[in-house]
Amino acid sequence: MGAVVAAVGRAARHPVVTGGLDAAGPGVAEYFATRKREEFFDWHGTVGPWEHDQYLTAF
């Protein structure tokens, strides 16, 4: 979990990345970073078929 969130944080602080995103409009870089963090936590909190098969049927 930490690697993805850390990478988004580093990208959000990198002047080339933020400059490129904010060229599309003010605040785009922060919006992008916020959405990517939310996307990761949504994904991380999802239990899919693989997890059901691997863990829930083991008991």
Side-chain angles (χ1 to χ4, degrees):
M1 171 170 80
V4 173
V5 175
V8 170
R10 283 191 299 275
R13 291 187 303 274
H14 196 284
V16 172
V17 174
T18 57
L21 289 170
D22 283 339
V28 172
E30 185 55 38
Y31 175 83
F32 181 79
T34 299
R35 294 298 159 255
K36 285 293 148 186
R37 286 184 197 103
E38 289 174 354
E39 179 182 293
F40 173 77
F41 287 116
D42 286 346
W43 168 81
H44 193 269
T46 301
V47 176
W50 186 86
E51 287 86 1
H52 281 266
D53 293 343
Q54 292 297 313
Y55 302 116
L56 295 179
T57 61
F59 300 103

